[in-house]
Protein backbone atom coordinates (compact mmCIF):
# COMPACT_ATOMS: atom_id res chain seq x y z
CA UNK A 1 0.00 0.00 0.00
CA UNK A 2 1.49 3.36 -0.97
CA UNK A 3 1.85 6.14 1.59
CA UNK A 4 -0.88 8.35 0.13
CA UNK A 5 -3.47 5.59 0.30
CA UNK A 6 -2.25 4.59 3.75
CA UNK A 7 -2.58 8.11 5.16
CA UNK A 8 -6.02 8.51 3.63
CA UNK A 9 -7.26 5.28 5.19
CA UNK A 10 -5.54 6.17 8.46
CA UNK A 11 -7.37 9.51 8.51
CA UNK A 12 -10.68 7.72 7.91
CA UNK A 13 -9.93 5.28 10.73
CA UNK A 14 -9.91 2.28 8.41
CA UNK A 15 -6.38 1.05 9.13
CA UNK A 16 -5.59 -1.96 11.30
CA UNK A 17 -2.33 -2.47 13.17
CA UNK A 18 -1.45 -5.19 10.64
CA UNK A 19 -1.96 -2.67 7.81
CA UNK A 20 0.57 -0.43 9.55
CA UNK A 21 3.16 -3.20 9.71
CA UNK A 22 2.56 -4.06 6.05
CA UNK A 23 2.90 -0.38 5.09
CA UNK A 24 6.21 -0.10 6.98
CA UNK A 25 7.53 -3.15 5.12
CA UNK A 26 6.45 -1.61 1.81
CA UNK A 27 8.29 1.60 2.68
CA UNK A 28 11.45 -0.35 3.48
CA UNK A 29 11.15 -2.29 0.21
CA UNK A 30 10.85 1.04 -1.64
CA UNK A 31 14.19 2.13 -0.16
CA UNK A 32 12.83 4.37 2.59
CA UNK A 33 14.55 3.81 5.91
CA UNK A 34 14.43 4.94 9.49
CA UNK A 35 14.46 3.73 13.07
CA UNK A 36 10.68 3.81 13.47
CA UNK A 37 10.05 2.12 10.12
CA UNK A 38 12.37 -0.74 11.06
CA UNK A 39 10.76 -1.10 14.50
CA UNK A 40 7.25 -1.15 13.05
CA UNK A 41 8.14 -3.52 10.21
CA UNK A 42 9.71 -5.98 12.65
CA UNK A 43 6.76 -6.19 15.03
CA UNK A 44 5.47 -9.68 15.80
CA UNK A 45 2.30 -10.19 13.76
CA UNK A 46 0.86 -12.38 16.52
CA UNK A 47 1.08 -9.57 19.04
CA UNK A 48 0.27 -6.09 17.79
CA UNK A 49 -0.53 -3.57 20.50
CA UNK A 50 -2.69 -0.95 18.77
CA UNK A 51 -1.40 1.97 20.85
CA UNK A 52 2.22 0.99 20.33
CA UNK A 53 1.71 0.54 16.59
CA UNK A 54 0.08 3.94 16.11
CA UNK A 55 2.79 5.69 18.15
CA UNK A 56 5.38 4.14 15.85
CA UNK A 57 3.41 5.28 12.79
CA UNK A 58 3.85 8.91 13.91
CA UNK A 59 7.61 8.38 14.03
CA UNK A 60 7.52 6.66 10.65
CA UNK A 61 6.10 9.77 9.03
CA UNK A 62 9.16 11.67 10.19
CA UNK A 63 11.41 8.84 8.96
CA UNK A 64 10.05 9.08 5.43
CA UNK A 65 9.88 12.88 5.39
CA UNK A 66 6.09 13.01 5.22
CA UNK A 67 5.26 16.53 6.25
CA UNK A 68 2.12 18.53 6.66
CA UNK A 69 1.98 21.30 4.07
CA UNK A 70 2.03 24.74 5.72
CA UNK A 71 -1.32 25.61 4.13
CA UNK A 72 -2.89 22.67 5.97
CA UNK A 73 -1.71 23.69 9.43
CA UNK A 74 -4.39 26.33 9.98
CA UNK A 75 -7.17 24.02 8.84
CA UNK A 76 -5.90 21.31 11.19
CA UNK A 77 -5.73 23.80 14.06
CA UNK A 78 -9.29 24.90 13.24
CA UNK A 79 -10.41 21.29 13.24
CA UNK A 80 -8.82 20.80 16.67
CA UNK A 81 -10.59 23.92 17.96
CA UNK A 82 -13.92 22.57 16.71
CA UNK A 83 -13.35 19.26 18.51
CA UNK A 84 -12.50 21.22 21.69
CA UNK A 85 -15.80 23.11 21.38
CA UNK A 86 -17.65 19.81 21.03
CA UNK A 87 -15.97 18.50 24.18
CA UNK A 88 -17.08 21.60 26.09
CA UNK A 89 -20.66 21.36 24.79
CA UNK A 90 -20.79 17.61 25.55
CA UNK A 91 -21.42 16.77 21.88
CA UNK A 92 -18.61 14.24 22.13
CA UNK A 93 -17.15 12.39 25.10
CA UNK A 94 -13.90 13.83 26.48
CA UNK A 95 -11.82 10.73 25.75
CA UNK A 96 -13.06 10.59 22.14
CA UNK A 97 -12.20 14.27 21.71
CA UNK A 98 -8.77 13.79 23.24
CA UNK A 99 -8.04 10.98 20.77
CA UNK A 100 -9.16 13.16 17.85
CA UNK A 101 -7.11 16.19 18.88
CA UNK A 102 -4.08 14.03 19.63
CA UNK A 103 -4.40 12.58 16.13
CA UNK A 104 -4.52 16.08 14.67
CA UNK A 105 -1.42 17.02 16.69
CA UNK A 106 0.37 14.05 15.13
CA UNK A 107 -0.34 15.44 11.66
CA UNK A 108 1.15 18.88 12.32
CA UNK A 109 4.86 19.46 11.84
CA UNK A 110 7.32 20.65 14.43
CA UNK A 111 7.32 23.24 15.92
CA UNK A 112 3.60 23.87 15.51
CA UNK A 113 2.45 20.56 16.97
CA UNK A 114 3.70 21.85 20.33
CA UNK A 115 0.52 23.91 20.54
CA UNK A 116 -1.37 20.62 20.82
CA UNK A 117 1.25 18.45 22.51
CA UNK A 118 -0.61 18.32 25.84
CA UNK A 119 -3.35 16.42 24.00
CA UNK A 120 -0.89 13.65 23.16
CA UNK A 121 -0.05 13.31 26.86
CA UNK A 122 -3.75 13.29 27.69
CA UNK A 123 -4.44 10.54 25.16
CA UNK A 124 -1.64 8.46 26.62
CA UNK A 125 -3.04 9.29 30.07
CA UNK A 126 0.35 10.36 31.33
CA UNK A 127 -0.09 14.12 31.53
CA UNK A 128 2.20 15.22 34.38
CA UNK A 129 -0.58 17.09 36.18
CA UNK A 130 -2.85 14.06 36.53
CA UNK A 131 -0.33 11.44 37.63
CA UNK A 132 -0.21 10.30 41.22
CA UNK A 133 2.51 8.19 42.72
CA UNK A 134 1.25 4.97 44.20
CA UNK A 135 3.83 2.79 45.90
CA UNK A 136 6.45 2.34 43.12
CA UNK A 137 4.46 3.34 40.05
CA UNK A 138 2.38 6.20 38.78
CA UNK A 139 -1.32 6.04 38.05
CA UNK A 140 -3.68 8.51 36.44
CA UNK A 141 -6.21 10.34 38.56
CA UNK A 142 -9.37 10.22 36.37
CA UNK A 143 -10.99 13.27 37.99
CA UNK A 144 -7.86 15.37 37.55
CA UNK A 145 -7.50 14.07 33.97
CA UNK A 146 -11.02 15.25 33.15
CA UNK A 147 -10.36 18.66 34.73
CA UNK A 148 -7.24 19.06 32.60
CA UNK A 149 -9.10 17.98 29.45
CA UNK A 150 -11.79 20.58 30.08
CA UNK A 151 -9.20 23.28 30.87
CA UNK A 152 -7.23 22.50 27.69
CA UNK A 153 -10.44 22.34 25.62
CA UNK A 154 -11.48 25.78 26.85
CA UNK A 155 -8.03 27.20 26.16
CA UNK A 156 -7.97 25.69 22.66
CA UNK A 157 -11.55 26.67 21.78
CA UNK A 158 -10.86 30.29 22.75
CA UNK A 159 -7.46 30.50 21.07
CA UNK A 160 -6.94 32.62 17.99
CA UNK A 161 -3.55 31.45 16.81
CA UNK A 162 -2.91 31.09 13.12
CA UNK A 163 0.23 30.34 11.18
CA UNK A 164 1.31 32.85 8.54
CA UNK A 165 2.13 30.59 5.59
CA UNK A 166 4.30 33.36 4.10
CA UNK A 167 6.91 32.36 6.73
CA UNK A 168 7.39 29.10 4.78
CA UNK A 169 8.16 30.57 1.39
Amino acid sequence: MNSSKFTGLLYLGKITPQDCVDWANTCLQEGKDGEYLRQLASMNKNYLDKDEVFKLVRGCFADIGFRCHPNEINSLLSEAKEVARKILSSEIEPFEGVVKISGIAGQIDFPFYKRLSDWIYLEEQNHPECLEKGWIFYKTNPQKWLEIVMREAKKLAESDFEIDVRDFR
Side-chain angles (χ1 to χ4, degrees):
M1 175 180 322
N2 69 37
S3 292
S4 295
K5 182 177 180 181
F6 176 80
T7 55
L9 291 172
L10 181 66
Y11 176 77
L12 293 172
K14 296 185 177 190
I15 290 289
T16 66
Q18 183 59 53
D19 293 331
C20 297
V21 172
D22 294 343
W23 169 74
N25 280 302
T26 299
C27 288
L28 291 171
Q29 290 168 1
E30 292 173 348
K32 298 170 183 148
D33 193 22
E35 174 187 347
Y36 294 105
L37 276 172
R38 289 189 302 273
Q39 284 180 357
L40 182 57
S42 68
M43 289 188 82
N44 182 340
K45 294 180 182 198
N46 296 323
Y47 170 75
L48 292 176
D49 178 85
K50 182 179 177 183
D51 293 334
E52 185 179 347
V53 167
F54 286 108
K55 284 179 194 175
L56 287 173
V57 167
R58 287 186 202 148
C60 289
F61 286 141
D63 282 349
I64 65 173
F66 185 85
R67 304 187 70 71
C68 176
H69 191 277
N71 289 328
E72 297 172 356
I73 294 172
N74 286 329
S75 64
L76 289 168
L77 292 173
S78 293
E79 184 180 340
K81 287 171 62 169
E82 183 59 31
V83 173
R85 287 184 192 105
K86 288 180 178 182
I87 292 170
L88 293 170
S89 68
S90 300
E91 289 179 55
I92 62 173
E93 293 294 319
F95 188 77
E96 179 186 350
V98 166
V99 170
K100 286 182 179 189
I101 295 173
S102 176
I104 292 168
Q107 296 175 55
I108 297 176
D109 278 339
F110 176 84
F112 306 109
Y113 83 91
K114 285 186 174 186
R115 297 191 177 176
L116 300 176
S117 62
D118 277 350
W119 293 93
I120 295 170
Y121 291 118
L122 288 167
E123 179 188 10
E124 296 171 350
Q125 297 193 15
N126 64 1
H127 191 283
E129 292 181 46
C130 63
L131 293 178
E132 296 177 344
K133 188 167 180 147
W135 196 48
I136 60 170
F137 61 91
Y138 287 91
K139 65 178 183 171
T140 300
N141 177 327
Q143 182 179 350
K144 185 68 175 171
W145 179 87
L146 183 59
E147 289 173 17
I148 295 167
V149 168
M150 299 310 276
R151 179 191 73 203
E152 292 299 317
K154 185 176 187 318
K155 188 166 61 173
L156 179 57
E158 294 174 351
S159 68
D160 62 353
F161 54 81
E162 278 195 3
I163 307 304
D164 187 347
V165 295
R166 291 176 293 184
D167 294 338
F168 293 91
R169 292 184 185 148

